[in-house]
Amino acid sequence: MSEGIKDHPGLSEAAAQSRASVLRSRAESYIALSRHDAAIADLTESIALAPGNARAWRLRGESHRVIERYEAALEDFDEALKLEPDSAYALGSRGQTYAAMGRLEEAMADFDHALTLSPDSLWILEAKADALVDLDRLDEAVAEHGKIIALNEDLAYSWVARGDLYQRMHLYEEAIADYSKALEADPEYVRALSRRGEALRMTDHYEEALADLNRALDLDPENDRAFGSRGAVLSELGDNEAALSDLNRAIELDPEYVWAYRVRGEIQQELEHHEEAVSDFTQALHLEFGD
């Protein structure tokens, strides 16, 4: 008799295994519905009935990870990997857990191991790229994004992810090219429009930037970042009144939008509205540095 059956003495071995299987399946639907506490309850009973099933440990670990119970997630992934040492899914998910905890070198070890087992796994490649960014290994992160794009050039979000990284590296022409690729795949991808607009602003292509940002706001009228970028573009084009209107709206949508306070402060300073400028710069310092 298995250890799990001892806690359910009324069930035969076959009945216990059958119940554990149904519980695992129901838990997967709970996970799909983001009902993670319900999933964890089902999986805990399933594990009690059939403790040798790696899938149950892995699924429960994933639910624990998603709701940020990271220590519990690690325990579950460790158990899953004892049962299935070459599970790319468990390794990748444990790597995500380590990354969320700031244990980036351990995360990288799990991602690298997982990718030896499943080299074409997009989500593991993406998780590894994110960890490389957190480690400030940006060139390597770009290379990982290149692998993702090579596997499927039709995924607009992959082009945007690399474009965002290029933008972070101040490689604006490369960023614009990637956002343009994303928009070929999905012409109404708001983030690609908004981010390409910002990259165009940074390369002094203000009219093109304005066109992208206008389109982004047509599609998403509450996009605070697009309002902020458009405000900066309008200021460069000499329309400070419209620029302030956009920045006011950006800050209304996100009262902790540090960059918008800074840009609005610079415009107020240019207009010699120094009290308003001081107020904006003070708020930016408070939000960013706690002053």
Side-chain angles (χ1 to χ4, degrees), residues 57-59 61-63 65-66 70 73-74 77 81 87-100 107 110-111 114 123-124 127:
W57 291 102
R58 173 171 52 77
L59 288 171
E62 185 63 9
S63 275
R65 181 188 72 81
V66 170
Y70 297 129
L74 286 182
F77 291 134
L81 287 163
S87 169
Y89 191 107
L91 285 161
S93 293
R94 189 174 69 177
Q96 288 179 309
T97 306
Y98 280 135
D110 272 357
F111 294 144
W123 70 272
I124 298 174

Side-chain angles (χ1 to χ4, degrees), residues 10-33:
L11 293 179
S12 68
E13 180 79 28
Q17 292 295 327
S18 177
R19 179 174 175 81
S21 176
V22 176
L23 287 165
R24 288 193 299 271
S25 294
R26 186 170 70 175
E28 285 197 277
S29 287
Y30 279 140
I31 291 169
L33 293 166

